[in-house]
Amino acid sequence: MTNKPNIIVSACLLGHNCKYNGGNNYCSKLEKLKEQYNFIEICPEVEGGLPIPRVPSEIINGLVINKEGMDVTKNYNEGAKLALEKALKNNCRKAILKAKSPSCGCGKIYDGTFSKTLIDGDGITTRLFKEHNIEVLTEEEI
Ligand code: SF4
């Protein structure tokens, strides 16, 4: 048993190979936080039904469109819903999510042109978390 609070973390930041290209975004800074928190892992894109690897996507006009022009908004919404359910079930009030992702990004995301251009905005899961008063930080802010 432990009294540590639960915190949601993007699974790719913990080294899971769930990124669109089959790799991960391992972030060693998170190791220290393990002393303070129990990590509850999410990967909204995979949990929303998308494969590994998958075609990268960006948000444009409120929809999530992959680089081949396919609308994958439904998968992103489903993944966000499941992530929120997990967060609420585990009493998570905070999340550390991967910067710039169309699911997990917070404050800055790519602009939908697949040209690495950033604009102000949140990923689909981050937006839903914020609507339910779950604080979101990226790995760049910790
Ligand atoms: Fe990482 Fe989030 Fe993308 Fe999954 S959806 S690979 S957790 S950034």
Side-chain angles (χ1 to χ4, degrees), residues 81-98:
K81 196 187 95 187
L82 293 171
L84 178 66
E85 282 173 14
K86 212 180 208 183
L88 296 178
K89 198 176 103 194
N90 288 286
N91 294 318
C92 298
R93 302 314 316 161
K94 286 185 184 181
I96 299 169
L97 302 185
K98 172 70 184 76

Side-chain angles (χ1 to χ4, degrees), residues 5 51 76 94 104-105 107 129 139:
Y76 277 66
K94 286 185 184 181
C104 296
F129 277 7
E139 79 284 8

Side-chain angles (χ1 to χ4, degrees), residues 10-112:
S10 291
C12 60
L13 294 175
L14 299 173
H16 295 287
N17 293 328
C18 50
K19 199 177 157 177
Y20 74 89
N21 62 6
N24 65 70
N25 298 302
Y26 176 70
C27 175
S28 59
K29 281 194 285 183
L30 286 167
E31 297 297 335
K32 267 194 178 168
L33 280 183
K34 272 190 189 160
E35 294 161 19
Q36 293 171 45
Y37 293 98
N38 292 316
F39 289 171
I40 308 291
E41 300 170 10
I42 58 162
C43 178
E45 291 172 26
V46 172
E47 286 153 15
L50 294 171
I52 307 169
R54 55 191 171 276
V55 179
S57 300
E58 294 189 4
I59 299 175
I60 182 156
N61 295 329
L63 297 174
V64 191
I65 308 293
N66 77 16
K67 210 174 174 179
E68 294 174 348
M70 187 188 292
D71 184 343
V72 286
T73 309
K74 232 172 108 178
N75 297 95
Y76 277 66
N77 285 338
E78 177 66 12
K81 196 187 95 187
L82 293 171
L84 178 66
E85 282 173 14
K86 212 180 208 183
L88 296 178
K89 198 176 103 194
N90 288 286
N91 294 318
C92 298
R93 302 314 316 161
K94 286 185 184 181
I96 299 169
L97 302 185
K98 172 70 184 76
K100 302 173 198 145
S101 151
S103 287
C104 296
C106 180
K108 293 278 179 199
I109 52 169
Y110 292 117
D111 71 349

